[in-house]
Amino acid sequence: MLNLILKDIYMQKNALFILLPALIIYLLIGTSAVWICIVFCIVIITDSFAKDEKTPSNLLLNALPYTRKEIVSSKYISALAFIFLVLLTIFLGNWLMHGEFIQLDQLLLITGIVIVSISFIFPFSYLFKSQYLMRAFIIGFIAYMVIINLFIPNLNDRIRNFVQTVLSFDNSQVYFIILLSVVLFYILSFLLSIRIYSRKVF
Amino acid sequence: MQIIISNHSKEPIYEQIYVQIKKHILTNEIQAGQALPSMRQLAKDLNISIITTKRAYEELEKNGFIFSIVGKGSFVSEQNNEMIRERKMQAIEEQLTAVIQNSKEIGIKLPELKELLTMLYKEDT
Amino acid sequence: MENVIELHHVNKTFKGFQIKDLSISVKKGFVTGFIGGNGVGKSTTIKMILNLLQPDSGSVSVFGLDYKKNEKEIKQRIGFVFDQNIFYEDLTLTEMKRLIKPAYKNWDDSLFHHYAEKFDLPLKKKMKTFSKGMLMKASLTFALSHHAELIIMDEPTSGLDPIFRRELLEILHDLMQDSSRTIFFSTHITTDLDRIADYITFIHNGEHVFTKEQNRIEEEYAIVKGETNLLDSDTEQEFISVRKSNHGFEALTINKQHTKKIFGDTVILEKPTLEDIMLYTKKGM
């Protein structure tokens, strides 16, 4: 399985060579590192996913001595590796250029949001195809707007309140809860993806 | 050992191989105890399937021309070879007796018969 | 004789297509040609043998092992060739090797280079620049570089020129010098099979028609040609199917000796090609 993870990273080497230095440039300009990092992580990970999505690649991977479980697992683990690479880059970049460490909560925020997004993206893409992600995102956004406007006009306020309440807890407690739910979410998504992928017909 | 097979012959390929190897054995072109090429090698050389050479070898073995030792290959049989010669000689004697009888019935003399035999023998090579 | 592949009562249903109670076995140490028209289930069957598809019911075993327990062990011992490009288009052959090599315990770099050189494959060009023939050669190179005991190929000769088809047969003959090796491949170019296949497995409409030794086929089957007036409802029973014209009939019999007895010298009996058998069987069903 390690081979599969290394394969994913190896195949993204060109993307990493371009995107990671670009990250440094963004840091130099001084844009918010958090959002840039999140976007970069998701772009790299979904691109890596899309490369294995075509039927021929699935034929190849499944005919090689790997199990379907391993193929799915490798995607979830290499996603973590990509997040780590991005975080390491901004961490080092920030330290070298600005002489300061990035705050832990920023790193956690990036990791959390990326993992939650991937937890949605992977099972969705295994079930349909990653090319439909954009459509799903737009439909989801419209649905959200409709809900806000028609049914629960104060949804945004409620969410804000909920976040406020969570943040009013003790810091370490909040981190722990968030971390736990993110991990749990990732595992659930992983189990769901295995279920979907093992029934897939190429 | 030369084996020429025809893909367009009515005779099945295994039989063509059988007949030719048998001829090589009976004419002593390959001697008793000598190894035949392996089935797989022969199949490759003749560009035919293994099961075809296997069948030919099985027929040869069944009729006592060759014997196989597992893991070593196939060899030309010894005693059976002489036995076959003897059996053939016997058959030839019987057939010739019949020829002589038939000849006498219609009055063909020995020199004439000899001449006929020589001619036919030379024709069929 | 030992079987390398065994399918028992396998059923698989797709939209508008079905594999019905398929039981086939592939003998160890021999070459089995897998024939049938387009869309009769050859590729589906091959995918089930490689565990790319699971049957709805029935069982598939390879090397006597079950995919549920021994998936990786089975696949370690198989070399596969598909009829489509399965490589990452933007990678070169060397890069593909880097990805595939670590998957196999018995990978042999010298074999890989031997075949890559023999097939004149460029190591540094992207896979998307490869022609169909080159892609097939590349697949074959990978299939042969890890000492696989079982080589499974789906339509390996389609899209190849006759010269390379001959070369491929040479290679297969070389591989079969090792009696522990087995080759199973599907094709619709049946003339490829005459020179290499020991057994022929024929399926039609998702059903097994026969698996026979190649030699037995010409002993049992025959093309019968004769005058139309020899045919009546009784004698027609003798054939799998009959093609009639104004000038006579042509038919396929599955029992050559019996047909000979019935018709004697009034008809001509000819050795059928596999294509004849496929064609008449299709018409007779």
Side-chain angles (χ1 to χ4, degrees), chain A residues 29-69:
Chain A
I29 301 167
T31 1
S32 160
V34 174
W35 295 110
I36 296 299
C37 280
I38 290 171
V39 171
F40 275 32
C41 282
I42 293 178
V43 166
I44 295 173
I45 293 166
T46 45
D47 183 55
S48 161
F49 186 94
K51 281 186 176 145
D52 275 343
E53 208 172 23
K54 292 181 203 123
T55 309
S57 316
N58 274 315
L59 283 180
L60 173 66
L61 293 180
N62 280 281
L64 288 172
Y66 299 119
T67 61
R68 293 197 178 198
K69 216 176 193 169

mmCIF file of all heavy atoms in Angstrom, chain A residues 29-69:
data_model
loop_
_atom_site.group_PDB
_atom_site.id
_atom_site.type_symbol
_atom_site.label_atom_id
_atom_site.label_comp_id
_atom_site.label_asym_id
_atom_site.label_seq_id
_atom_site.Cartn_x
_atom_site.Cartn_y
_atom_site.Cartn_z
ATOM 1 N N ILE A 29 3.573 38.299 -0.639
ATOM 2 C CA ILE A 29 2.624 39.378 -0.889
ATOM 3 C C ILE A 29 1.855 39.684 0.398
ATOM 4 O O ILE A 29 1.450 40.811 0.635
ATOM 5 C CB ILE A 29 1.650 38.990 -2.032
ATOM 6 C CG1 ILE A 29 2.440 38.702 -3.300
ATOM 7 C CG2 ILE A 29 0.648 40.103 -2.296
ATOM 8 C CD1 ILE A 29 1.630 38.011 -4.373
ATOM 9 N N GLY A 30 1.692 38.647 1.203
ATOM 10 C CA GLY A 30 1.052 38.866 2.487
ATOM 11 C C GLY A 30 -0.433 38.593 2.500
ATOM 12 O O GLY A 30 -1.155 39.060 3.365
ATOM 13 N N THR A 31 -0.917 37.786 1.505
ATOM 14 C CA THR A 31 -2.335 37.417 1.526
ATOM 15 C C THR A 31 -2.574 36.441 2.677
ATOM 16 O O THR A 31 -1.644 35.817 3.181
ATOM 17 C CB THR A 31 -2.752 36.688 0.233
ATOM 18 O OG1 THR A 31 -1.607 36.582 -0.602
ATOM 19 C CG2 THR A 31 -3.875 37.400 -0.456
ATOM 20 N N SER A 32 -3.824 36.285 3.039
ATOM 21 C CA SER A 32 -4.172 35.372 4.119
ATOM 22 C C SER A 32 -3.741 33.954 3.764
ATOM 23 O O SER A 32 -4.248 33.357 2.819
ATOM 24 C CB SER A 32 -5.675 35.405 4.353
ATOM 25 O OG SER A 32 -6.059 34.238 5.034
ATOM 26 N N ALA A 33 -2.782 33.437 4.503
ATOM 27 C CA ALA A 33 -2.224 32.126 4.202
ATOM 28 C C ALA A 33 -3.261 31.021 4.349
ATOM 29 O O ALA A 33 -3.250 30.044 3.606
ATOM 30 C CB ALA A 33 -1.035 31.841 5.109
ATOM 31 N N VAL A 34 -4.164 31.197 5.295
ATOM 32 C CA VAL A 34 -5.129 30.139 5.597
ATOM 33 C C VAL A 34 -5.944 29.745 4.359
ATOM 34 O O VAL A 34 -5.985 28.581 3.968
ATOM 35 C CB VAL A 34 -6.074 30.573 6.729
ATOM 36 C CG1 VAL A 34 -7.172 29.535 6.936
ATOM 37 C CG2 VAL A 34 -5.285 30.765 8.009
ATOM 38 N N TRP A 35 -6.547 30.715 3.712
ATOM 39 C CA TRP A 35 -7.429 30.387 2.588
ATOM 40 C C TRP A 35 -6.654 29.859 1.395
ATOM 41 O O TRP A 35 -7.087 28.918 0.721
ATOM 42 C CB TRP A 35 -8.272 31.601 2.203
ATOM 43 C CG TRP A 35 -9.187 31.937 3.323
ATOM 44 C CD1 TRP A 35 -9.131 33.017 4.132
ATOM 45 C CD2 TRP A 35 -10.244 31.117 3.824
ATOM 46 N NE1 TRP A 35 -10.081 32.949 5.111
ATOM 47 C CE2 TRP A 35 -10.786 31.780 4.948
ATOM 48 C CE3 TRP A 35 -10.783 29.882 3.452
ATOM 49 C CZ2 TRP A 35 -11.837 31.274 5.689
ATOM 50 C CZ3 TRP A 35 -11.833 29.369 4.186
ATOM 51 C CH2 TRP A 35 -12.356 30.067 5.297
ATOM 52 N N ILE A 36 -5.500 30.467 1.161
ATOM 53 C CA ILE A 36 -4.667 29.979 0.062
ATOM 54 C C ILE A 36 -4.282 28.522 0.286
ATOM 55 O O ILE A 36 -4.375 27.687 -0.618
ATOM 56 C CB ILE A 36 -3.389 30.846 -0.067
ATOM 57 C CG1 ILE A 36 -3.758 32.284 -0.446
ATOM 58 C CG2 ILE A 36 -2.428 30.261 -1.085
ATOM 59 C CD1 ILE A 36 -4.477 32.397 -1.768
ATOM 60 N N CYS A 37 -3.882 28.213 1.495
ATOM 61 C CA CYS A 37 -3.485 26.833 1.813
ATOM 62 C C CYS A 37 -4.626 25.860 1.596
ATOM 63 O O CYS A 37 -4.441 24.772 1.036
ATOM 64 C CB CYS A 37 -3.025 26.723 3.259
ATOM 65 S SG CYS A 37 -1.362 27.278 3.471
ATOM 66 N N ILE A 38 -5.797 26.256 2.061
ATOM 67 C CA ILE A 38 -6.951 25.363 1.914
ATOM 68 C C ILE A 38 -7.207 25.085 0.431
ATOM 69 O O ILE A 38 -7.365 23.933 0.023
ATOM 70 C CB ILE A 38 -8.196 25.991 2.580
ATOM 71 C CG1 ILE A 38 -8.006 25.990 4.093
ATOM 72 C CG2 ILE A 38 -9.463 25.211 2.202
ATOM 73 C CD1 ILE A 38 -9.051 26.758 4.856
ATOM 74 N N VAL A 39 -7.196 26.146 -0.358
ATOM 75 C CA VAL A 39 -7.444 25.974 -1.789
ATOM 76 C C VAL A 39 -6.373 25.078 -2.411
ATOM 77 O O VAL A 39 -6.674 24.138 -3.153
ATOM 78 C CB VAL A 39 -7.493 27.344 -2.503
ATOM 79 C CG1 VAL A 39 -7.519 27.151 -4.013
ATOM 80 C CG2 VAL A 39 -8.701 28.130 -2.039
ATOM 81 N N PHE A 40 -5.098 25.339 -2.072
ATOM 82 C CA PHE A 40 -4.013 24.538 -2.643
ATOM 83 C C PHE A 40 -4.147 23.066 -2.282
ATOM 84 O O PHE A 40 -3.981 22.191 -3.126
ATOM 85 C CB PHE A 40 -2.649 25.084 -2.184
ATOM 86 C CG PHE A 40 -2.155 26.200 -3.052
ATOM 87 C CD1 PHE A 40 -3.035 27.072 -3.673
ATOM 88 C CD2 PHE A 40 -0.798 26.386 -3.269
ATOM 89 C CE1 PHE A 40 -2.595 28.099 -4.478
ATOM 90 C CE2 PHE A 40 -0.335 27.407 -4.082
ATOM 91 C CZ PHE A 40 -1.234 28.268 -4.687
ATOM 92 N N CYS A 41 -4.408 22.818 -1.016
ATOM 93 C CA CYS A 41 -4.557 21.419 -0.577
ATOM 94 C C CYS A 41 -5.646 20.723 -1.391
ATOM 95 O O CYS A 41 -5.441 19.632 -1.936
ATOM 96 C CB CYS A 41 -4.950 21.353 0.893
ATOM 97 S SG CYS A 41 -3.581 21.624 1.991
ATOM 98 N N ILE A 42 -6.809 21.365 -1.465
ATOM 99 C CA ILE A 42 -7.937 20.722 -2.140
ATOM 100 C C ILE A 42 -7.645 20.533 -3.621
ATOM 101 O O ILE A 42 -7.958 19.486 -4.198
ATOM 102 C CB ILE A 42 -9.236 21.528 -1.906
ATOM 103 C CG1 ILE A 42 -9.587 21.430 -0.416
ATOM 104 C CG2 ILE A 42 -10.390 20.982 -2.753
ATOM 105 C CD1 ILE A 42 -10.810 22.194 -0.008
ATOM 106 N N VAL A 43 -6.997 21.522 -4.235
ATOM 107 C CA VAL A 43 -6.659 21.386 -5.659
ATOM 108 C C VAL A 43 -5.719 20.197 -5.873
ATOM 109 O O VAL A 43 -5.959 19.335 -6.732
ATOM 110 C CB VAL A 43 -6.010 22.682 -6.200
ATOM 111 C CG1 VAL A 43 -5.359 22.434 -7.553
ATOM 112 C CG2 VAL A 43 -7.057 23.776 -6.314
ATOM 113 N N ILE A 44 -4.666 20.121 -5.080
ATOM 114 C CA ILE A 44 -3.696 19.023 -5.256
ATOM 115 C C ILE A 44 -4.363 17.669 -5.025
ATOM 116 O O ILE A 44 -4.178 16.722 -5.801
ATOM 117 C CB ILE A 44 -2.494 19.186 -4.297
ATOM 118 C CG1 ILE A 44 -1.707 20.444 -4.663
ATOM 119 C CG2 ILE A 44 -1.586 17.960 -4.358
ATOM 120 C CD1 ILE A 44 -0.614 20.786 -3.666
ATOM 121 N N ILE A 45 -5.159 17.592 -3.973
ATOM 122 C CA ILE A 45 -5.752 16.294 -3.622
ATOM 123 C C ILE A 45 -6.797 15.853 -4.646
ATOM 124 O O ILE A 45 -6.795 14.700 -5.079
ATOM 125 C CB ILE A 45 -6.358 16.352 -2.203
ATOM 126 C CG1 ILE A 45 -5.228 16.505 -1.185
ATOM 127 C CG2 ILE A 45 -7.156 15.089 -1.903
ATOM 128 C CD1 ILE A 45 -5.681 16.905 0.196
ATOM 129 N N THR A 46 -7.666 16.776 -5.062
ATOM 130 C CA THR A 46 -8.674 16.357 -6.047
ATOM 131 C C THR A 46 -8.027 16.060 -7.403
ATOM 132 O O THR A 46 -8.472 15.172 -8.118
ATOM 133 C CB THR A 46 -9.791 17.410 -6.251
ATOM 134 O OG1 THR A 46 -9.168 18.686 -6.367
ATOM 135 C CG2 THR A 46 -10.763 17.421 -5.104
ATOM 136 N N ASP A 47 -6.952 16.772 -7.730
ATOM 137 C CA ASP A 47 -6.262 16.492 -8.983
ATOM 138 C C ASP A 47 -5.651 15.091 -8.945
ATOM 139 O O ASP A 47 -5.737 14.326 -9.914
ATOM 140 C CB ASP A 47 -5.170 17.540 -9.228
ATOM 141 C CG ASP A 47 -4.473 17.319 -10.564
ATOM 142 O OD1 ASP A 47 -5.192 17.266 -11.577
ATOM 143 O OD2 ASP A 47 -3.239 17.185 -10.588
ATOM 144 N N SER A 48 -5.063 14.759 -7.817
ATOM 145 C CA SER A 48 -4.486 13.422 -7.651
ATOM 146 C C SER A 48 -5.577 12.361 -7.760
ATOM 147 O O SER A 48 -5.396 11.318 -8.384
ATOM 148 C CB SER A 48 -3.791 13.342 -6.292
ATOM 149 O OG SER A 48 -3.608 12.014 -5.914
ATOM 150 N N PHE A 49 -6.722 12.661 -7.188
ATOM 151 C CA PHE A 49 -7.850 11.730 -7.250
ATOM 152 C C PHE A 49 -8.316 11.552 -8.700
ATOM 153 O O PHE A 49 -8.539 10.435 -9.161
ATOM 154 C CB PHE A 49 -9.004 12.268 -6.403
ATOM 155 C CG PHE A 49 -10.153 11.315 -6.291
ATOM 156 C CD1 PHE A 49 -10.238 10.443 -5.221
ATOM 157 C CD2 PHE A 49 -11.145 11.277 -7.265
ATOM 158 C CE1 PHE A 49 -11.290 9.558 -5.130
ATOM 159 C CE2 PHE A 49 -12.185 10.393 -7.180
ATOM 160 C CZ PHE A 49 -12.270 9.533 -6.103
ATOM 161 N N ALA A 50 -8.435 12.686 -9.401
ATOM 162 C CA ALA A 50 -8.971 12.642 -10.764
ATOM 163 C C ALA A 50 -8.088 11.807 -11.690
ATOM 164 O O ALA A 50 -8.569 11.183 -12.631
ATOM 165 C CB ALA A 50 -9.118 14.058 -11.314
ATOM 166 N N LYS A 51 -6.770 11.783 -11.415
ATOM 167 C CA LYS A 51 -5.860 11.027 -12.287
ATOM 168 C C LYS A 51 -6.133 9.528 -12.251
ATOM 169 O O LYS A 51 -5.826 8.817 -13.201
ATOM 170 C CB LYS A 51 -4.407 11.285 -11.876
ATOM 171 C CG LYS A 51 -3.918 12.623 -12.415
ATOM 172 C CD LYS A 51 -2.461 12.841 -12.143
ATOM 173 C CE LYS A 51 -2.035 14.141 -12.803
ATOM 174 N NZ LYS A 51 -1.030 14.858 -12.046
ATOM 175 N N ASP A 52 -6.671 9.048 -11.146
ATOM 176 C CA ASP A 52 -6.951 7.613 -11.034
ATOM 177 C C ASP A 52 -8.403 7.269 -11.294
ATOM 178 O O ASP A 52 -8.845 6.160 -11.046
ATOM 179 C CB ASP A 52 -6.567 7.117 -9.631
ATOM 180 C CG ASP A 52 -5.101 6.772 -9.570
ATOM 181 O OD1 ASP A 52 -4.506 6.605 -10.645
ATOM 182 O OD2 ASP A 52 -4.559 6.699 -8.452
ATOM 183 N N GLU A 53 -9.132 8.270 -11.775
ATOM 184 C CA GLU A 53 -10.566 8.070 -11.841
ATOM 185 C C GLU A 53 -11.015 7.367 -13.106
ATOM 186 O O GLU A 53 -12.038 6.710 -13.137
ATOM 187 C CB GLU A 53 -11.214 9.441 -11.783
ATOM 188 C CG GLU A 53 -12.578 9.413 -11.196
ATOM 189 C CD GLU A 53 -13.047 10.826 -10.998
ATOM 190 O OE1 GLU A 53 -12.542 11.723 -11.680
ATOM 191 O OE2 GLU A 53 -13.905 11.017 -10.166
ATOM 192 N N LYS A 54 -10.214 7.507 -14.180
ATOM 193 C CA LYS A 54 -10.617 6.929 -15.454
ATOM 194 C C LYS A 54 -10.644 5.406 -15.377
ATOM 195 O O LYS A 54 -9.872 4.801 -14.641
ATOM 196 C CB LYS A 54 -9.645 7.371 -16.554
ATOM 197 C CG LYS A 54 -9.752 8.843 -16.853
ATOM 198 C CD LYS A 54 -8.784 9.212 -17.975
ATOM 199 C CE LYS A 54 -8.436 10.676 -17.930
ATOM 200 N NZ LYS A 54 -7.001 10.907 -17.830
ATOM 201 N N THR A 55 -11.513 4.818 -16.179
ATOM 202 C CA THR A 55 -11.640 3.363 -16.188
ATOM 203 C C THR A 55 -10.306 2.658 -16.410
ATOM 204 O O THR A 55 -9.990 1.716 -15.678
ATOM 205 C CB THR A 55 -12.644 2.929 -17.273
ATOM 206 O OG1 THR A 55 -13.828 3.690 -17.085
ATOM 207 C CG2 THR A 55 -12.965 1.458 -17.174
ATOM 208 N N PRO A 56 -9.490 3.087 -17.389
ATOM 209 C CA PRO A 56 -8.219 2.374 -17.597
ATOM 210 C C PRO A 56 -7.337 2.347 -16.349
ATOM 211 O O PRO A 56 -6.758 1.308 -16.036
ATOM 212 C CB PRO A 56 -7.544 3.178 -18.710
ATOM 213 C CG PRO A 56 -8.636 3.878 -19.402
ATOM 214 C CD PRO A 56 -9.691 4.153 -18.389
ATOM 215 N N SER A 57 -7.273 3.471 -15.636
ATOM 216 C CA SER A 57 -6.435 3.484 -14.433
ATOM 217 C C SER A 57 -6.990 2.538 -13.385
ATOM 218 O O SER A 57 -6.247 1.861 -12.679
ATOM 219 C CB SER A 57 -6.368 4.889 -13.842
ATOM 220 O OG SER A 57 -6.167 5.826 -14.858
ATOM 221 N N ASN A 58 -8.310 2.511 -13.277
ATOM 222 C CA ASN A 58 -8.919 1.575 -12.334
ATOM 223 C C ASN A 58 -8.630 0.132 -12.707
ATOM 224 O O ASN A 58 -8.377 -0.709 -11.843
ATOM 225 C CB ASN A 58 -10.432 1.801 -12.279
ATOM 226 C CG ASN A 58 -10.798 2.882 -11.277
ATOM 227 O OD1 ASN A 58 -10.272 2.892 -10.165
ATOM 228 N ND2 ASN A 58 -11.655 3.783 -11.671
ATOM 229 N N LEU A 59 -8.661 -0.145 -14.028
ATOM 230 C CA LEU A 59 -8.332 -1.499 -14.484
ATOM 231 C C LEU A 59 -6.910 -1.853 -14.068
ATOM 232 O O LEU A 59 -6.651 -2.928 -13.530
ATOM 233 C CB LEU A 59 -8.438 -1.589 -16.010
ATOM 234 C CG LEU A 59 -9.823 -1.682 -16.624
ATOM 235 C CD1 LEU A 59 -9.713 -1.755 -18.143
ATOM 236 C CD2 LEU A 59 -10.539 -2.920 -16.106
ATOM 237 N N LEU A 60 -6.002 -0.920 -14.315
ATOM 238 C CA LEU A 60 -4.597 -1.180 -13.994
ATOM 239 C C LEU A 60 -4.418 -1.435 -12.497
ATOM 240 O O LEU A 60 -3.875 -2.467 -12.099
ATOM 241 C CB LEU A 60 -3.727 0.005 -14.434
ATOM 242 C CG LEU A 60 -2.260 -0.063 -14.009
ATOM 243 C CD1 LEU A 60 -1.544 -1.209 -14.709
ATOM 244 C CD2 LEU A 60 -1.527 1.239 -14.293
ATOM 245 N N LEU A 61 -4.900 -0.502 -11.690
ATOM 246 C CA LEU A 61 -4.677 -0.626 -10.243
ATOM 247 C C LEU A 61 -5.306 -1.893 -9.682
ATOM 248 O O LEU A 61 -4.732 -2.565 -8.833
ATOM 249 C CB LEU A 61 -5.242 0.601 -9.517
ATOM 250 C CG LEU A 61 -4.519 1.912 -9.794
ATOM 251 C CD1 LEU A 61 -5.165 3.042 -9.025
ATOM 252 C CD2 LEU A 61 -3.049 1.807 -9.404
ATOM 253 N N ASN A 62 -6.487 -2.227 -10.196
ATOM 254 C CA ASN A 62 -7.168 -3.394 -9.645
ATOM 255 C C ASN A 62 -6.616 -4.713 -10.152
ATOM 256 O O ASN A 62 -6.795 -5.746 -9.511
ATOM 257 C CB ASN A 62 -8.665 -3.305 -9.931
ATOM 258 C CG ASN A 62 -9.348 -2.374 -8.953
ATOM 259 O OD1 ASN A 62 -9.613 -2.745 -7.830
ATOM 260 N ND2 ASN A 62 -9.586 -1.152 -9.378
ATOM 261 N N ALA A 63 -5.969 -4.675 -11.318
ATOM 262 C CA ALA A 63 -5.375 -5.916 -11.819
ATOM 263 C C ALA A 63 -4.012 -6.147 -11.180
ATOM 264 O O ALA A 63 -3.531 -7.274 -11.109
ATOM 265 C CB ALA A 63 -5.243 -5.865 -13.335
ATOM 266 N N LEU A 64 -3.384 -5.093 -10.687
ATOM 267 C CA LEU A 64 -2.128 -5.249 -9.951
ATOM 268 C C LEU A 64 -2.444 -5.867 -8.585
ATOM 269 O O LEU A 64 -3.589 -5.840 -8.139
ATOM 270 C CB LEU A 64 -1.459 -3.879 -9.776
ATOM 271 C CG LEU A 64 -0.841 -3.265 -11.039
ATOM 272 C CD1 LEU A 64 -0.384 -1.839 -10.772
ATOM 273 C CD2 LEU A 64 0.329 -4.092 -11.530
ATOM 274 N N PRO A 65 -1.427 -6.426 -7.945
ATOM 275 C CA PRO A 65 -1.722 -7.080 -6.660
ATOM 276 C C PRO A 65 -2.058 -6.104 -5.528
ATOM 277 O O PRO A 65 -1.318 -5.984 -4.560
ATOM 278 C CB PRO A 65 -0.447 -7.877 -6.343
ATOM 279 C CG PRO A 65 0.544 -7.508 -7.335
ATOM 280 C CD PRO A 65 -0.048 -6.623 -8.361
ATOM 281 N N TYR A 66 -3.144 -5.402 -5.678
ATOM 282 C CA TYR A 66 -3.672 -4.553 -4.606
ATOM 283 C C TYR A 66 -5.135 -4.920 -4.393
ATOM 284 O O TYR A 66 -5.802 -5.354 -5.311
ATOM 285 C CB TYR A 66 -3.601 -3.071 -4.993
ATOM 286 C CG TYR A 66 -2.215 -2.545 -5.270
ATOM 287 C CD1 TYR A 66 -1.876 -2.036 -6.509
ATOM 288 C CD2 TYR A 66 -1.239 -2.565 -4.267
ATOM 289 C CE1 TYR A 66 -0.605 -1.552 -6.774
ATOM 290 C CE2 TYR A 66 0.038 -2.080 -4.526
ATOM 291 C CZ TYR A 66 0.351 -1.577 -5.773
ATOM 292 O OH TYR A 66 1.602 -1.105 -6.020
ATOM 293 N N THR A 67 -5.620 -4.680 -3.171
ATOM 294 C CA THR A 67 -7.041 -4.882 -2.936
ATOM 295 C C THR A 67 -7.735 -3.534 -3.077
ATOM 296 O O THR A 67 -7.102 -2.491 -3.032
ATOM 297 C CB THR A 67 -7.303 -5.438 -1.528
ATOM 298 O OG1 THR A 67 -6.823 -4.473 -0.592
ATOM 299 C CG2 THR A 67 -6.591 -6.749 -1.306
ATOM 300 N N ARG A 68 -9.053 -3.589 -3.228
ATOM 301 C CA ARG A 68 -9.800 -2.337 -3.372
ATOM 302 C C ARG A 68 -9.688 -1.500 -2.103
ATOM 303 O O ARG A 68 -9.646 -0.281 -2.149
ATOM 304 C CB ARG A 68 -11.260 -2.640 -3.689
ATOM 305 C CG ARG A 68 -11.396 -3.261 -5.056
ATOM 306 C CD ARG A 68 -12.815 -3.194 -5.567
ATOM 307 N NE ARG A 68 -12.858 -3.766 -6.918
ATOM 308 C CZ ARG A 68 -13.825 -3.574 -7.767
ATOM 309 N NH1 ARG A 68 -14.854 -2.838 -7.443
ATOM 310 N NH2 ARG A 68 -13.786 -4.117 -8.969
ATOM 311 N N LYS A 69 -9.643 -2.181 -0.982
ATOM 312 C CA LYS A 69 -9.504 -1.491 0.292
ATOM 313 C C LYS A 69 -8.204 -0.691 0.320
ATOM 314 O O LYS A 69 -8.169 0.460 0.756
ATOM 315 C CB LYS A 69 -9.462 -2.547 1.401
ATOM 316 C CG LYS A 69 -10.153 -2.137 2.675
ATOM 317 C CD LYS A 69 -10.096 -3.338 3.614
ATOM 318 C CE LYS A 69 -11.022 -3.165 4.783
ATOM 319 N NZ LYS A 69 -11.154 -4.425 5.512
#
